[in-house]
Amino acid sequence: MSDNHKKEIDAVSGVETTGHEWDGLKELNNPLPKWWLYVFYATIVWAIGYWVVYPSWPLLSGYTAGVLGNSQRADALAAVEAGQAARAQLGAGLNDASLEEIAAKPELLDFAMANGRAAFGDNCAPCHGSGGTGAVGYPNLQDDVWIWGGTLDDIHTTLQYGIRSGHDEARFAEMPAFGRDGLLDKTEVDQVSSFVAARAGLEPEAGVDLAAGEVVYQDNCASCHGEDLAGIREMGAPNLLSANYVFGKSVQAIKAQVNAPRHGVMPAWEGRLDPATIKSLAVYVHSFGGGE
C-alpha cells in the first residue's frame, strides 16, 4: 500500500476512492448506512444507561451498585432459597409418608418421580444405564427378573442397604465356585451347565448327559435354586428359568458361573443419600415397569 496515491473517482461505481491501493485494488470511500450508524449510537447510549442503572464496574473492594441496586446474583440466590424451601416442604412429606402413600398421592408422586429421576442419573445410571436397561453384570431394572423382589418395599430395602455392600443389613448371597474349588469335576460342570441351559430354553452342548446333569443339579444346586430351578428369593438365589441372566444367558456363561462365579456389589445408599431421596429412587425405579 502507498500513502502517496491521490483520491480519484472510480470510473465504474462513480464513488471517490480513499487513496489506498493494494496490488491494484483501490478502496472506495463508501459511508456506512445511516440505519447501522443509528443502531451503533443507540447501543452506546444503552451501555451508558446500563452502567448507571445496574451494577457494572468493579472497584477495589466491590463494584458500582447502580441506581436500582439490582443484583442478578442476589435474585438467583433468592430463587435457590425459595426452591430449597419448597423442596424441603415436599421432602418432609416424603419422609412422613409410606411408599404406598407416596404412590397414591399425585403431588408427592410427581415430586418423588422428579427427585428420583435426578438422583438416578447422578448415582445409578453409570451401572444400570440411563433407562435402567442394565448391562452384563448389572441387572436390567425394566424386566420382571428381581432376585431380591421387585415391590416398592423390596426395592427400597435394596437401595438402602445394598447387596454385598458391607452394611450390616445388606442383602447377601454367595454361590460356591464348584469347578475352581474342586466341588465338581469338569464333566460334572459340563453336565449341570447343559442341564440348566436346556431347562432355560437354550441349546445344550452336544453329547452331554442331561440326565446326569439333573442329578448333579439336585445334589448341589436345588437347595438354593429350588428343585424346579425357580430360585429362592429369601436366599438371593436367581430363578434359572428367567429370560435374563445378570452375567449372560448362554451355555458358556452358565458354565463360567458354575466354575468360578462372579458376585456383583451394589453400594448401600443409606448415609450417602437422604431418606427422602432413597424413597424417591424406589418409586422411580419401580415406575420402570419391571417391579411387582
Side-chain angles (χ1 to χ4, degrees):
M1 182 185 75
S2 172
D3 293 331
N4 296 324
H5 288 98
K6 294 181 179 180
K7 295 181 180 181
E8 59 184 75
I9 302 300
D10 178 60
V12 176
S13 63
V15 177
E16 183 184 38
T17 67
T18 63
H20 300 159
E21 182 179 342
W22 293 268
D23 298 328
L25 298 176
K26 297 178 180 180
E27 181 183 17
L28 300 180
N29 189 19
N30 280 317
L32 291 169
K34 288 185 177 181
W35 68 264
W36 190 96
L37 287 172
Y38 294 152
V39 170
F40 177 65
Y41 297 147
T43 60
I44 295 175
V45 173
W46 173 268
I48 295 172
Y50 195 95
W51 296 340
V52 173
V53 174
Y54 289 97
S56 54
W57 291 100
L59 304 174
L60 291 177
S61 59
Y63 56 89
T64 57
V67 174
L68 296 181
N70 178 268
S71 171
Q72 290 183 336
R73 183 175 184 274
D75 292 343
L77 290 175
V80 169
E81 289 178 0
Q84 288 176 338
R87 187 178 184 277
Q89 183 177 1
L90 288 171
L94 292 182
N95 285 329
D96 297 336
S98 67
L99 292 167
E100 290 72 20
E101 288 172 338
I102 293 171
K105 295 181 178 180
E107 183 182 33
L108 287 178
L109 179 59
D110 289 345
F111 177 70
M113 288 292 290
N115 193 33
R117 183 181 297 108
F120 187 91
D122 290 341
N123 301 280
C124 312
C127 290
H128 293 284
S130 59
T133 53
V136 176
Y138 304 100
N140 182 348
L141 304 178
Q142 292 191 10
D143 62 21
D144 58 358
V145 180
W146 293 82
I147 296 175
W148 298 99
T151 66
L152 278 169
D153 287 329
D154 289 332
I155 296 170
H156 183 262
T157 299
T158 300
L159 285 164
Q160 194 168 14
Y161 304 128
I163 299 172
R164 304 180 193 91
S165 64
H167 192 286
D168 291 341
E169 301 295 328
R171 311 273 202 188
F172 185 85
E174 189 167 279
M175 177 175 171
F178 288 101
R180 185 190 64 199
D181 295 343
L183 301 174
L184 298 176
D185 60 32
K186 183 181 183 304
T187 299
E188 291 172 321
V189 169
D190 291 344
Q191 290 170 342
V192 73
S193 299
S194 282
F195 167 73
V196 170
R199 289 292 305 274
L202 300 172
E203 184 70 28
E205 290 185 325
V208 176
D209 188 343
L210 298 184
E214 182 175 8
V215 173
V216 175
Y217 176 87
Q218 295 298 337
D219 290 345
N220 297 273
C221 313
S223 57
C224 291
H225 293 282
E227 294 182 2
D228 57 357
L229 285 77
I232 300 177
R233 226 169 233 182
E234 293 75 15
M235 302 183 68
N239 181 350
L240 302 178
L241 303 178
S242 64
N244 296 322
Y245 284 21
V246 174
F247 292 102
K249 188 174 180 180
S250 67
V251 176
Q252 292 305 316
I254 295 171
K255 189 183 297 186
Q257 202 65 2
V258 173
N259 183 65
R262 290 178 285 176
H263 300 106
V265 175
M266 175 177 168
W269 294 105
E270 184 180 65
R272 300 186 184 196
L273 300 175
D274 60 79
T277 299
I278 294 176
K279 283 186 176 181
S280 298
L281 272 172
V283 171
Y284 179 69
V285 170
H286 188 266
S287 74
F288 284 158
E292 300 169 348

